[in-house]
Amino acid sequence: MDEYIDSAQSVYSWNALSPKLSAQYLFKGDDRVYVSYARGFRPSVLDDLCRSGRMRGGFKVANSDLGPETLDNFELGGDVTIIPGLNFAGSAYYSIGRDFIYYVNTGDSIDMGFGDRPIYRPENITGVGIFGLEAELTYDIFSGLRLMANYAHAHSEISNYEPDENSGATDLTGKYLIDVPANMAAFTVTYTNRIVNASLAGKYTGKRWVNDQNVYDEVVGSDQYPAYTTVDVKVWKEFKLFYLNLTIQNIFDVKYYDSKGAVCPGRFIMAEAGVKF
């Protein structure tokens, strides 16, 4: 890895103005419609500037010339009461990323002990477009019993990327961003009363692209991580001076790939007892 060592890193400083403008109209009680614009700014982190080493799915080399990214977000949404106790919230957004910080395949590979894996380098992607929809329904059936369901859709695509001819990277224009599920959904039932409180939550996470080129990965056995559904249960009780909690995450012991490309540990049980002062 000697060719990737950079012992003469330049000195950089960044600054930015991140404005936000929004307007809303209240037309009945808490019912509203709103529109907003905001600009985000994120400089590169020291880990990407200085450290070469293992990362999800392979090996990454530092890029001391990595610049900051900006994101312009446009959003339209609203909240409305359909019937007493039943509320809907929804929004649509479009984000434009410029100099988007992203791990790009250099074209090289390295033996990680379980086969050759690609070498990545953080780069500034010229343009990224992200379109999304979010919707949520909340229903208070009666005092203490609440149902909640939500859904989110995201379409994340690289709109423009022109790699340096000497970098060995591939043109990623038109490719989808990795590790961004196109569809997510969740459903929660919560019941609280004087005896004991309990909640049941299910979460669906759709497929995600494994690598930046959206191609087959021999370790995963696909070009996308498979979709998965998990179910969690929580039971808790509060007393005057102390409380008891029991949480079981992923009760059906579903195995899936997490955001770091590792297989999750499965079912997780946690018991908690505390004293309030």
Side-chain angles (χ1 to χ4, degrees):
M1 306 304 294
D2 289 345
E3 63 181 291
Y4 295 110
I5 296 176
D6 184 1
S7 59
Q9 297 180 357
S10 302
V11 176
Y12 294 99
S13 63
W14 301 291
N15 59 79
L17 182 65
S18 299
K20 181 176 181 180
L21 179 66
S22 63
Q24 71 171 4
Y25 175 67
L26 296 171
F27 54 91
K28 183 182 177 182
D30 292 330
D31 294 353
R32 65 167 183 156
V33 62
Y34 68 88
V35 61
S36 70
Y37 161 77
R39 164 166 285 197
F41 169 82
R42 184 172 78 97
S44 50
V45 297
L46 285 175
D47 190 78
D48 288 340
L49 292 168
C50 307
R51 186 188 72 86
S52 297
R54 289 178 178 268
M55 63 163 286
R56 176 197 55 185
F59 191 94
K60 69 117 176 180
V61 294
N63 180 2
S64 60
D65 295 320
L66 190 65
E69 67 179 15
T70 60
L71 191 76
D72 291 290
N73 186 73
F74 305 87
E75 184 172 347
L76 173 66
D79 304 280
V80 62
T81 300
I82 301 174
I83 59 175
L86 179 60
N87 300 298
F88 171 81
S91 64
Y93 64 89
Y94 184 69
S95 300
I96 302 172
R98 295 181 176 86
D99 294 327
F100 195 79
I101 299 174
Y102 195 63
Y103 289 110
V104 176
N105 193 325
T106 64
D108 292 331
S109 62
I110 186 173
D111 186 353
M112 302 286 290
F114 52 88
D116 289 342
R117 301 300 293 158
I119 296 177
Y120 293 93
R121 188 171 188 258
E123 300 283 356
N124 290 113
I125 301 294
T126 308
V128 171
I130 305 171
F131 169 74
L133 296 169
E134 297 180 355
E136 181 178 277
L137 275 173
T138 304
Y139 188 24
D140 292 312
I141 300 178
F142 55 79
S143 179
L145 180 60
R146 166 173 286 191
L147 306 181
M148 185 171 66
N150 56 63
Y151 168 76
H153 172 76
H155 180 88
S156 308
E157 185 176 349
I158 297 174
S159 57
N160 185 21
Y161 174 58
E162 299 176 0
D164 186 281
E165 295 180 355
N166 300 320
S167 67
T170 304
D171 186 357
L172 300 177
T173 302
K175 301 297 184 181
Y176 297 102
L177 295 180
I178 64 172
D179 202 35
V180 179
N183 299 287
M184 296 182 66
F187 181 76
T188 305
V189 181
T190 304
Y191 182 52
T192 58
N193 58 75
R194 293 180 299 176
I195 300 175
V196 68
N197 305 312
S199 68
L200 175 69
K203 181 180 180 181
Y204 167 82
T205 302
K207 293 181 178 181
R208 298 164 291 152
W209 294 99
V210 175
N211 52 56
D212 60 332
Q213 299 180 44
N214 300 166
V215 296
Y216 180 87
D217 183 276
E218 60 182 12
V219 173
V220 177
S222 174
D223 56 359
Q224 292 179 285
Y225 294 120
Y228 63 91
T229 301
T230 58
V231 178
D232 304 334
V233 173
K234 180 179 180 179
V235 179
W236 72 98
K237 174 66 177 178
E238 293 186 359
F239 302 90
K240 290 184 178 181
L241 296 178
F242 64 95
Y243 60 89
L244 300 172
N245 295 333
L246 175 64
T247 303
I248 306 177
Q249 299 177 351
N250 193 5
I251 61 176
F252 296 114
D253 200 25
V254 177
K255 298 297 190 297
Y256 60 89
Y257 288 94
D258 62 18
S259 61
K260 295 183 179 180
V263 178
C264 77
R267 185 184 300 110
F268 184 81
I269 302 174
M270 180 174 63
E272 181 181 13
V275 178
K276 297 182 292 184
F277 295 95

